[in-house]
Amino acid sequence: MTTMPSQSPQTVKLAVIQMHVTDQLDDNVGRAEEHVRDAARQGARVILLPELFENLYFCQVEREDYFALAHPQDGHPFIGRFQNLARELGVVLPLSYFERAGQAHYNSLVCIDADGEVLGNYRKTHIPDGPGYEEKYYFNPGDTGFKVWSTRYGRVGAGICWDQWYPETARVMMLQGADFLLYPTAIGSEPAEVESPNSHHMWQRAMVGHAVSNSSYVGAANRIGTEIVGGLTQTYYGHSFISDYTGELVAEFGDTDEGALIHDLNLAEARKFRAGMGFFRDRRPELYGPLLTVDGVTRRG
């Protein structure tokens, strides 16, 4: 069950971090910490790092060796470090990591509150499978359902990368009471043989659509730089952004910027606007049965 605070904050300063990544965990974690500290110095209270920032995006290829990068949540090599950091700085950190649970492996995210407490764990629901993004080889489909956490600075809803393309993800988190939506991601160029477009515009438009149809702020954090894994090369296109509750891009990085992208979220105004738009008033969930099927045919009995 998603719990909600008795009173939500009126405003919050959000930061999304855009950064390059190497094949050295200590290097990546240290750089991520410095970005978090810099964002906190600028007043950010909720700070989002990119997806799987601990290493190169190994899912370019299928290699058994990369399963060794996964760790259980308990005793994880860097979650505790970011708990201490969140407590020290008084910030909320939704944190992406590669999780091992028994014989299963997940693309996961913990939400660390401003006192350092881990509020819960989300396992990525939608797992892509295609050239350069071979995630089904590594990750079991998430089994947690979508999550919204009541933090010191509002109700945080977070999906992970491929989740960001699905309106169902955003809608469920908003129905669970999210004040704003966050998406850590790792996305960039496609292999030469892939026919789909290589454009950050489509990626942004999908999430801006969630902002509009849910009257919600949306923030996305991407990586940058060129990474070579298993002989394959991908260049990550950055363009991390924050959208307001009308779908306007109020803050955006380019394809090489590194650092903290920061914007003040007026949650009170967003709640007022959301109620006035009537999207949630006019929903007809009793007619949405086909959404619970694969082929659009609602079966009874």
Side-chain angles (χ1 to χ4, degrees):
M1 178 181 293
T2 301
T3 59
M4 299 183 186
S6 58
Q7 186 172 2
S8 295
Q10 300 297 296
T11 62
V12 65
K13 192 180 291 286
L14 170 67
V16 298
I17 304 300
Q18 184 163 289
M19 58 182 279
H20 78 281
V21 172
T22 72
D23 62 357
Q24 298 298 313
L25 184 145
D26 289 342
D27 176 52
N28 299 321
V29 170
R31 187 180 316 102
E33 178 176 334
E34 286 307 309
H35 286 311
V36 170
R37 289 186 180 279
D38 178 60
R41 282 191 291 268
Q42 297 180 63
R45 299 277 70 102
V46 179
I47 303 171
L48 180 69
L49 287 157
E51 179 190 23
L52 298 174
F53 64 90
E54 67 213 71
N55 211 298
L56 301 178
Y57 181 72
F58 53 88
C59 306
Q60 287 191 56
V61 295
E62 297 183 2
R63 299 286 189 276
E64 294 175 359
D65 290 346
Y66 291 130
F67 284 104
L69 297 174
H71 297 278
Q73 180 184 337
D74 292 339
H76 193 274
F78 65 78
I79 290 178
R81 175 171 174 174
F82 282 95
Q83 287 182 264
N84 293 335
L85 185 64
R87 186 181 305 113
E88 174 193 345
L89 301 176
V91 298
V92 173
L93 298 176
L95 195 72
S96 171
Y97 74 107
F98 187 11
E99 179 189 7
R100 186 176 78 242
Q103 302 304 319
H105 298 81
Y106 297 99
N107 188 337
S108 298
L109 177 148
V110 289
C111 187
I112 304 173
D113 207 353
D115 61 359
E117 178 186 0
V118 172
L119 298 179
N121 189 50
Y122 169 66
R123 292 168 172 168
K124 186 173 179 177
T125 300
H126 303 98
I127 311 296
D129 181 30
Y133 299 90
E134 306 280 356
E135 293 199 15
K136 278 190 169 65
Y137 178 75
Y138 293 100
F139 306 129
N140 294 82
D143 58 1
T144 60
F146 302 112
K147 295 285 188 178
V148 172
W149 293 284
S150 294
T151 77
R152 184 182 299 178
Y153 299 111
R155 298 187 293 269
V156 176
I160 302 173
C161 202
W162 197 233
D163 289 333
Q164 69 208 354
W165 297 92
Y166 291 83
E168 297 87 348
T169 302
R171 182 67 92 205
V172 170
M173 291 191 292
M174 292 303 296
L175 287 171
Q176 291 176 334
D179 283 318
F180 50 93
L181 304 176
L182 301 178
Y183 297 99
T185 192
I187 189 168
S189 61
E190 304 282 355
E193 68 273 17
V194 176
E195 296 178 0
S196 60
N198 172 30
S199 170
H200 74 270
H201 297 291
M202 188 170 70
W203 171 76
Q204 286 182 336
R205 287 170 187 146
M207 286 177 279
V208 166
H210 306 330
V212 171
S213 60
N214 292 284
S215 302
S216 173
Y217 287 100
V218 172
N222 196 13
R223 62 177 65 194
I224 55 171
T226 297
E227 300 178 14
I228 301 174
V229 175
L232 296 183
T233 300
Q234 279 180 321
T235 299
Y236 297 89
Y237 52 54
H239 284 277
S240 302
F241 72 93
I242 299 171
S243 167
D244 75 5
Y245 51 85
T246 72
E248 290 293 327
L249 291 187
V250 291
E252 180 186 6
F253 271 146
D255 55 5
T256 60
D257 297 303
E258 177 151 353
L261 188 69
I262 297 176
H263 188 74
D264 290 305
L265 312 188
N266 191 325
L267 302 182
E269 283 298 319
R271 284 190 288 269
K272 177 182 175 181
F273 182 84
R274 187 180 308 123
M277 284 299 299
F279 292 146
F280 290 88
R281 177 198 64 207
D282 298 338
R283 293 181 66 252
R284 297 290 305 280
E286 72 275 14
L287 302 180
Y288 300 160
L291 291 177
L292 302 180
T293 72
V294 174
D295 64 0
V297 178
T298 303
R299 295 173 176 80
R300 305 185 186 278

PDB file of all heavy atoms in Angstrom, residues 119-131:
ATOM      1  N   LEU A 119      12.976   3.618   1.628  1.00  0.00           N
ATOM      2  CA  LEU A 119      11.523   3.508   1.733  1.00  0.00           C
ATOM      3  C   LEU A 119      10.967   2.297   1.004  1.00  0.00           C
ATOM      4  O   LEU A 119       9.848   1.870   1.290  1.00  0.00           O
ATOM      5  CB  LEU A 119      10.874   4.783   1.189  1.00  0.00           C
ATOM      6  CG  LEU A 119      11.223   6.074   1.929  1.00  0.00           C
ATOM      7  CD1 LEU A 119      10.529   7.262   1.270  1.00  0.00           C
ATOM      8  CD2 LEU A 119      10.842   5.986   3.397  1.00  0.00           C
ATOM      9  N   GLY A 120      11.725   1.771   0.060  1.00  0.00           N
ATOM     10  CA  GLY A 120      11.246   0.615  -0.675  1.00  0.00           C
ATOM     11  C   GLY A 120      12.048   0.393  -1.936  1.00  0.00           C
ATOM     12  O   GLY A 120      12.923   1.186  -2.286  1.00  0.00           O
ATOM     13  N   ASN A 121      11.738  -0.703  -2.613  1.00  0.00           N
ATOM     14  CA  ASN A 121      12.473  -1.136  -3.794  1.00  0.00           C
ATOM     15  C   ASN A 121      11.500  -1.329  -4.950  1.00  0.00           C
ATOM     16  O   ASN A 121      10.448  -1.957  -4.789  1.00  0.00           O
ATOM     17  CB  ASN A 121      13.186  -2.461  -3.495  1.00  0.00           C
ATOM     18  CG  ASN A 121      14.149  -2.869  -4.586  1.00  0.00           C
ATOM     19  OD1 ASN A 121      14.979  -2.082  -5.026  1.00  0.00           O
ATOM     20  ND2 ASN A 121      14.056  -4.123  -5.028  1.00  0.00           N
ATOM     21  N   TYR A 122      11.829  -0.779  -6.109  1.00  0.00           N
ATOM     22  CA  TYR A 122      11.039  -0.978  -7.322  1.00  0.00           C
ATOM     23  C   TYR A 122      11.866  -1.748  -8.329  1.00  0.00           C
ATOM     24  O   TYR A 122      13.040  -1.428  -8.557  1.00  0.00           O
ATOM     25  CB  TYR A 122      10.616   0.364  -7.925  1.00  0.00           C
ATOM     26  CG  TYR A 122      10.034   0.221  -9.322  1.00  0.00           C
ATOM     27  CD1 TYR A 122       8.833  -0.461  -9.518  1.00  0.00           C
ATOM     28  CD2 TYR A 122      10.709   0.718 -10.438  1.00  0.00           C
ATOM     29  CE1 TYR A 122       8.310  -0.625 -10.800  1.00  0.00           C
ATOM     30  CE2 TYR A 122      10.181   0.569 -11.709  1.00  0.00           C
ATOM     31  CZ  TYR A 122       8.984  -0.108 -11.892  1.00  0.00           C
ATOM     32  OH  TYR A 122       8.473  -0.288 -13.153  1.00  0.00           O
ATOM     33  N   ARG A 123      11.253  -2.754  -8.951  1.00  0.00           N
ATOM     34  CA  ARG A 123      11.908  -3.538  -9.993  1.00  0.00           C
ATOM     35  C   ARG A 123      11.261  -3.222 -11.340  1.00  0.00           C
ATOM     36  O   ARG A 123      10.038  -3.335 -11.484  1.00  0.00           O
ATOM     37  CB  ARG A 123      11.805  -5.032  -9.669  1.00  0.00           C
ATOM     38  CG  ARG A 123      12.623  -5.424  -8.453  1.00  0.00           C
ATOM     39  CD  ARG A 123      12.294  -6.822  -7.945  1.00  0.00           C
ATOM     40  NE  ARG A 123      13.227  -7.228  -6.891  1.00  0.00           N
ATOM     41  CZ  ARG A 123      13.054  -8.286  -6.100  1.00  0.00           C
ATOM     42  NH1 ARG A 123      11.960  -9.034  -6.228  1.00  0.00           N
ATOM     43  NH2 ARG A 123      13.949  -8.574  -5.176  1.00  0.00           N
ATOM     44  N   LYS A 124      12.079  -2.850 -12.291  1.00  0.00           N
ATOM     45  CA  LYS A 124      11.629  -2.384 -13.611  1.00  0.00           C
ATOM     46  C   LYS A 124      10.604  -3.342 -14.212  1.00  0.00           C
ATOM     47  O   LYS A 124      10.839  -4.551 -14.311  1.00  0.00           O
ATOM     48  CB  LYS A 124      12.850  -2.241 -14.513  1.00  0.00           C
ATOM     49  CG  LYS A 124      12.585  -1.635 -15.878  1.00  0.00           C
ATOM     50  CD  LYS A 124      13.913  -1.412 -16.580  1.00  0.00           C
ATOM     51  CE  LYS A 124      13.794  -0.825 -17.964  1.00  0.00           C
ATOM     52  NZ  LYS A 124      15.122  -0.576 -18.566  1.00  0.00           N
ATOM     53  N   THR A 125       9.483  -2.774 -14.628  1.00  0.00           N
ATOM     54  CA  THR A 125       8.355  -3.568 -15.124  1.00  0.00           C
ATOM     55  C   THR A 125       8.529  -3.972 -16.578  1.00  0.00           C
ATOM     56  O   THR A 125       8.364  -5.141 -16.945  1.00  0.00           O
ATOM     57  CB  THR A 125       7.056  -2.761 -14.956  1.00  0.00           C
ATOM     58  OG1 THR A 125       6.860  -2.457 -13.572  1.00  0.00           O
ATOM     59  CG2 THR A 125       5.862  -3.530 -15.491  1.00  0.00           C
ATOM     60  N   HIS A 126       8.824  -3.013 -17.429  1.00  0.00           N
ATOM     61  CA  HIS A 126       8.914  -3.246 -18.871  1.00  0.00           C
ATOM     62  C   HIS A 126      10.388  -3.434 -19.235  1.00  0.00           C
ATOM     63  O   HIS A 126      11.206  -2.555 -19.000  1.00  0.00           O
ATOM     64  CB  HIS A 126       8.319  -2.075 -19.640  1.00  0.00           C
ATOM     65  CG  HIS A 126       6.897  -1.792 -19.269  1.00  0.00           C
ATOM     66  ND1 HIS A 126       6.545  -0.796 -18.371  1.00  0.00           N
ATOM     67  CD2 HIS A 126       5.746  -2.384 -19.655  1.00  0.00           C
ATOM     68  CE1 HIS A 126       5.230  -0.784 -18.233  1.00  0.00           C
ATOM     69  NE2 HIS A 126       4.719  -1.737 -19.003  1.00  0.00           N
ATOM     70  N   ILE A 127      10.709  -4.571 -19.824  1.00  0.00           N
ATOM     71  CA  ILE A 127      12.098  -4.932 -20.124  1.00  0.00           C
ATOM     72  C   ILE A 127      12.275  -4.971 -21.640  1.00  0.00           C
ATOM     73  O   ILE A 127      11.669  -5.820 -22.320  1.00  0.00           O
ATOM     74  CB  ILE A 127      12.479  -6.294 -19.514  1.00  0.00           C
ATOM     75  CG1 ILE A 127      12.064  -6.367 -18.037  1.00  0.00           C
ATOM     76  CG2 ILE A 127      13.975  -6.541 -19.682  1.00  0.00           C
ATOM     77  CD1 ILE A 127      12.760  -5.381 -17.137  1.00  0.00           C
ATOM     78  N   PRO A 128      13.115  -4.096 -22.225  1.00  0.00           N
ATOM     79  CA  PRO A 128      13.293  -4.087 -23.683  1.00  0.00           C
ATOM     80  C   PRO A 128      14.168  -5.239 -24.162  1.00  0.00           C
ATOM     81  O   PRO A 128      14.934  -5.832 -23.400  1.00  0.00           O
ATOM     82  CB  PRO A 128      13.982  -2.739 -23.936  1.00  0.00           C
ATOM     83  CG  PRO A 128      14.763  -2.494 -22.681  1.00  0.00           C
ATOM     84  CD  PRO A 128      13.917  -3.047 -21.564  1.00  0.00           C
ATOM     85  N   ASP A 129      14.059  -5.517 -25.437  1.00  0.00           N
ATOM     86  CA  ASP A 129      14.866  -6.577 -26.054  1.00  0.00           C
ATOM     87  C   ASP A 129      15.067  -6.223 -27.518  1.00  0.00           C
ATOM     88  O   ASP A 129      14.155  -6.335 -28.325  1.00  0.00           O
ATOM     89  CB  ASP A 129      14.157  -7.926 -25.928  1.00  0.00           C
ATOM     90  CG  ASP A 129      14.964  -9.066 -26.522  1.00  0.00           C
ATOM     91  OD1 ASP A 129      16.206  -8.978 -26.502  1.00  0.00           O
ATOM     92  OD2 ASP A 129      14.362 -10.037 -27.013  1.00  0.00           O
ATOM     93  N   GLY A 130      16.269  -5.758 -27.849  1.00  0.00           N
ATOM     94  CA  GLY A 130      16.564  -5.391 -29.221  1.00  0.00           C
ATOM     95  C   GLY A 130      18.041  -5.119 -29.368  1.00  0.00           C
ATOM     96  O   GLY A 130      18.785  -5.078 -28.371  1.00  0.00           O
ATOM     97  N   PRO A 131      18.524  -4.930 -30.597  1.00  0.00           N
ATOM     98  CA  PRO A 131      19.942  -4.678 -30.816  1.00  0.00           C
ATOM     99  C   PRO A 131      20.444  -3.494 -29.993  1.00  0.00           C
ATOM    100  O   PRO A 131      19.883  -2.406 -30.045  1.00  0.00           O
ATOM    101  CB  PRO A 131      20.011  -4.382 -32.322  1.00  0.00           C
ATOM    102  CG  PRO A 131      18.824  -5.069 -32.905  1.00  0.00           C
ATOM    103  CD  PRO A 131      17.757  -4.960 -31.860  1.00  0.00           C
TER     104      PRO A 131
END
